Amino acid sequence: MIDLQTIVTWCDGELRTAEVTDYPGAVNGLQVANSGKVRKIAAAVDGTLRTAQMAVADGASLLLVHHGFFWGQSHPWTGKRYELIKLLTEHDLAVYSSHLPLDVHPRYGNNSQLARAMGFKKLAPFFFEKGQHLGIRTELSISRKALVEQLAKAVGGAVRLVPGGPEKCRKIGIVTGGAGDSVKIAAAEGVDTFITGEGRHWTYALAEELGINLLYAGHYATETFGVKALGAELSRRFKLPWTFLDHPTGL
């Protein structure tokens, strides 16, 4: 077994947890402690009662998540919230969450991992918001059809295309998750094609007006990469078993 604090310290340093600006209410880092030891790691995209139950069933003592349990005030601890904290404490399950720090990491991050899964080579910073670049971009020449097929293969699921830009994609930006509503930022930074997870209805018309292709591959599907990469690295570094808990939302 490994001390929980040893893993937390490494993650906080590597992911720059205290330095990366996140959305209001996001709580990055150790969200729930345990008795202090880790024997097995489980990783999931979302911190929910269901994924906690899956982690317990898998025998994990540390659950890594991208979307944590806390996004601001969380009280009272009744009903399902009580059931959650009771489950975590009774089974000695710690929870570590990393949202934007994991998105932007150049090696383990969702954006870089998705780009590598698609075979992109020359990557550059992209999508400046909150005082930092949240995404990455690349330049190549590929048809929209081929790009959609490539992305679908990488995420293992369907891709929704909003064909607002050129049929030949040359400047491609990636921000995983729910960045579709911020397509104006992508267009302003000069990409002709923007890959993300999801966006709202009105983004279709906006993409047409901006002359940019939108590729929606699913919020969940585009953000499985980071926790998998982080879980694998912790397993290698600390000689601990780990598993990915797949609980897709389809969204």
Side-chain angles (χ1 to χ4, degrees), residues 48 197 217:
T48 66

PDB file of all heavy atoms in Angstrom, residues 48 197 217:
ATOM      1  N   THR A  48     -19.931  10.463  -8.900  1.00  0.00           N
ATOM      2  CA  THR A  48     -21.346  10.318  -8.581  1.00  0.00           C
ATOM      3  C   THR A  48     -21.510   9.171  -7.591  1.00  0.00           C
ATOM      4  O   THR A  48     -20.580   8.391  -7.358  1.00  0.00           O
ATOM      5  CB  THR A  48     -22.181   9.997  -9.839  1.00  0.00           C
ATOM      6  OG1 THR A  48     -21.797   8.693 -10.332  1.00  0.00           O
ATOM      7  CG2 THR A  48     -21.971  11.037 -10.935  1.00  0.00           C
ATOM      8  N   GLY A 197     -16.948  18.503 -27.047  1.00  0.00           N
ATOM      9  CA  GLY A 197     -17.881  17.451 -26.662  1.00  0.00           C
ATOM     10  C   GLY A 197     -19.319  17.756 -26.994  1.00  0.00           C
ATOM     11  O   GLY A 197     -20.023  16.968 -27.630  1.00  0.00           O
ATOM     12  N   ALA A 217     -18.391  15.375 -30.205  1.00  0.00           N
ATOM     13  CA  ALA A 217     -18.132  13.943 -30.016  1.00  0.00           C
ATOM     14  C   ALA A 217     -18.582  13.436 -28.652  1.00  0.00           C
ATOM     15  O   ALA A 217     -18.269  12.305 -28.280  1.00  0.00           O
ATOM     16  CB  ALA A 217     -16.645  13.660 -30.206  1.00  0.00           C
TER      17      ALA A 217
END
